[in-house]
Amino acid sequence: MKQLSLTLALTVVLVAGLALHAQQRTARRYVPVTDAMLQKPDAAEWLMWRRTLDGWGYSPPTQINRGNVNQLRMVWAHGLGAGNQEGTPLVHDGVMYVPDPGDHILAIDAKSGDVIWEYRRKLPEGVRPKTDRTIAI
């Protein structure tokens, strides 16, 4: 009985420690977007619809070119809900914010594809969610 209690206590401590470690590892410190960042966004960021204030919609990174584009492979995928998929995902500080139909927003680690958090707006009874929302940071 004493050994069972000790084993149970150690298991609880181990699980609590692993949960705390996972929470610390996934916790991120949000870096606010400034007006200067919107004026001249970093090449790795997509902070607004069409990326820049002039609406150019061009991605400046040069790692992908005609010589290596055939080597691209899917790293991760994440399904979205039913409905129109017309929203623009935004990327800031390694997090991709994805609008999903039905007033649902996902924050996804852009490198791993892991969902960091999600938000689904609760609507009053009888109110149907919009299917084509966009988001802003």
Side-chain angles (χ1 to χ4, degrees):
M1 183 70 163
K2 195 174 194 177
Q3 187 173 1
L4 179 62
S5 295
L6 181 58
T7 302
L8 183 59
L10 288 174
T11 302
V12 168
V13 169
L14 177 63
V15 169
L18 288 173
L20 181 59
H21 175 70
Q23 181 183 8
Q24 290 171 343
R25 192 183 49 154
T26 58
R28 293 174 172 250
R29 185 167 176 258
Y30 181 75
V31 177
V33 174
T34 65
D35 189 51
M37 293 165 78
L38 293 173
Q39 296 291 326
K40 189 172 178 169
D42 181 275
E45 306 268 296
W46 199 282
L47 300 174
M48 66 185 84
W49 179 82
R50 304 293 292 166
R51 191 175 169 279
T52 57
L53 291 173
D54 62 6
W56 195 14
Y58 172 74
S59 183
T62 57
Q63 295 94 335
I64 301 168
N65 56 50
R66 289 181 182 186
N68 65 14
V69 70
N70 64 339
Q71 299 169 21
L72 290 178
R73 301 290 180 263
M74 182 169 40
V75 177
W76 60 265
H78 186 82
L80 299 176
N84 296 337
Q85 301 294 339
E86 297 178 0
T88 299
L90 304 179
V91 179
H92 174 53
D93 198 26
V95 178
M96 180 181 287
Y97 300 91
V98 181
D100 193 19
D103 290 326
H104 184 208
I105 307 293
L106 298 163
I108 300 173
D109 183 298
K111 223 173 230 186
S112 68
D114 294 336
V115 174
I116 299 168
W117 57 259
E118 58 185 289
Y119 171 77
R120 187 175 305 273
R121 183 175 151 202
K122 291 184 188 205
L123 298 171
E125 191 171 323
V127 174
R128 291 181 39 177
K130 297 285 187 178
T131 60
D132 58 353
R133 296 260 189 207
T134 190
I135 56 176
I137 294 180

